[in-house]
Amino acid sequence: MGLLDGKVVIVTGAGRGIGRGEALECAAQGAAVVVAEFDPSTGESVAKEIVAAGGRAVAASGDVADADVANSLVATALSEFGRLDALVNNAGILRDKTLAKLSDDDWDAVIRVHLRGHFLPTRAAVQHWKEAGKPGHVVHTASTSGILGNFGQTNYGAAKAGIAAFSTIVAMEGARGGITSNAIAPTALTAMTLDLMPQEFRDERDAAIARGEFDFFAPENVAPLVAFLCSDASAHISGKVFGVQGDSIEIFQPYTSVAEVKNDGKRWDPEDIGGRIDDLWAASGIQPGPENMMARMRYQILAL
Ligand SMILES: NC(=O)c1ccc[n+]([C@@H]2O[C@H](COP(=O)([O-])OP(=O)(O)OC[C@H]3O[C@@H](n4cnc5c(N)ncnc54)[C@H](O)[C@@H]3O)[C@@H](O)[C@H]2O)c1
């Protein structure tokens, strides 16, 4: 018995990396999988791998930020497998540059693939579930770059923070219909991130794998949480942002107010704010200047 026996799941960007791991795990848990992937050859090969292992899968190629492609994914799930139970929005790209050097195209491409590429398939799935009167589960892929910020990633971080907010609101709107929406902030070494790692780190990792040690940054490690969030076992969990890497699952605190200064029921004079704003830092421990929130994380690729 698998956690997803008889279920049907769409995974976007499933041709390689984290999405491939998610597609394989959902199939191993009993789901039929629509392998949605921009690159037809990798998408086909993941679908074949699932079928060769005795599972059910179909490849759907195209750009998930294109409306016709995104809308066709739900139709494919219904025509091939007769139902849709979960959607995993995973497809993504990087175009890293510091802001002063960032081109319009690199801004637009990243915002489009991530935000539109999450919005369109989610809207199609939610419309289907609402019309059919059925529950469903959506898992979105945010990033610590969006939640905490990361140097050189204004485009990517803005998109990923937007995805976390998008997921939270989908969760609110879906609650009455039993539609859950959660986001993950994964960390894994994939084609997206491996080249960013120093050779020394990669050599150490390869040696550890050769010794049979747990490969903390293997993309497949993200998949068990995602399969769980696609299942009815998580029907009571929604609107949350999870960190996931290696053997670690974390929960992120949503943005929340932690300190306040008041002006005795009167409108503030801008000149008075400078004398009172330090109370916010003192009460909260928050620093007034830019902070490297990533450096406070328990797990960092470069810290190992
Ligand atoms: N690897 C990490 O450490 C990390 C960290 C935080 C977030 N993420 C996010 O996880 C997701 C997967 O990343 P990954 O590391 O596996 O990257 P990857 O580059 O290995 O895989 C991404 C896949 O998405 C596909 N894709 C890209 N644009 C697409 C589009 N428009 N339509 C359909 N498919 C498309 C690519 O062809 C590729 O197969 C991304 O959203 C990424 O931003 C990754």
Side-chain angles (χ1 to χ4, degrees):
M1 281 283 287
L3 211 51
L4 296 169
D5 277 342
K7 304 287 188 185
V8 178
V9 180
I10 298 168
V11 183
T12 73
R16 69 181 191 196
I18 293 171
R20 174 178 171 274
E22 292 165 342
L24 295 178
E25 184 64 46
C26 287
Q29 292 299 324
V33 181
V34 178
V35 179
E37 169 56 53
F38 186 73
D39 174 356
S41 67
T42 58
E44 282 288 348
S45 95
V46 170
K48 281 187 186 150
E49 196 176 343
I50 291 170
V51 172
R56 294 178 301 154
V58 64
S61 66
D63 171 6
V64 291
D66 177 276
D68 289 342
V69 172
N71 293 333
S72 74
L73 298 177
V74 172
T76 299
L78 298 178
S79 64
E80 293 285 330
F81 304 118
R83 57 188 289 155
L84 176 67
D85 298 283
L87 163 68
V88 181
N89 288 312
N90 163 78
I93 58 169
L94 284 183
R95 295 281 187 276
D96 290 359
K97 286 268 177 351
T98 52
L99 179 63
K101 295 178 185 155
L102 186 67
S103 69
D104 294 15
D105 285 350
D106 285 343
W107 173 268
D108 289 345
V110 166
I111 296 294
R112 181 178 181 279
V113 170
H114 290 280
L115 278 181
R116 202 173 150 81
H118 271 62
F119 155 62
L120 289 171
T122 305
R123 184 179 60 181
V126 167
Q127 281 174 344
H128 163 68
W129 289 321
K130 288 210 176 248
E131 277 162 23
K134 290 186 172 160
H137 307 295
V138 192
V139 183
H140 312 270
T141 309
S143 168
T144 51
S145 300
I147 298 162
L148 306 174
N150 200 23
F151 191 92
Q153 294 192 322
T154 51
N155 51 357
Y156 183 77
K160 291 304 197 182
I163 286 170
F166 176 74
S167 175
T168 306
I169 295 167
V170 172
M172 289 172 170
E173 293 183 1
R176 264 183 39 196
I179 297 168
T180 68
S181 170
N182 291 287
I184 59 164
T187 304
L189 288 173
T190 64
M192 182 181 275
T193 48
L194 197 59
D195 288 349
L196 308 173
M197 296 302 121
Q199 191 57 46
E200 190 186 39
F201 172 84
R202 293 197 241 171
D203 293 344
E204 273 175 36
R205 178 185 181 228
D206 290 344
I209 294 170
R211 288 194 299 273
E213 291 171 15
F214 178 54
D215 180 13
F216 189 88
F217 291 109
E220 294 77 15
N221 297 340
V222 174
L225 174 66
V226 171
F228 169 74
L229 293 173
C230 287
S231 78
D232 293 338
S234 69
H236 58 300
I237 300 170
S238 196
K240 303 295 169 275
V241 182
F242 295 94
V244 55
Q245 57 267 299
D247 66 341
S248 163
I249 295 172
E250 299 176 277
I251 185 76
F252 279 94
Q253 182 94 291
Y255 275 126
T256 185
S257 168
V258 291
E260 183 186 31
V261 286
K262 302 265 292 174
N263 196 38
D264 295 330
K266 301 187 299 284
R267 186 169 178 266
W268 283 94
D269 180 332
E271 289 203 359
D272 295 338
I273 293 177
R276 295 286 311 287
I277 200 141
D278 286 349
D279 293 352
L280 292 180
W281 321 133
S284 65
I286 290 173
Q287 303 297 312
E291 291 181 75
N292 184 353
M293 300 300 290
M294 284 277 198
R296 294 193 194 171
M297 284 190 65
R298 280 191 283 284
Y299 299 106
Q300 282 200 91
I301 290 173
L302 289 172
L304 291 186

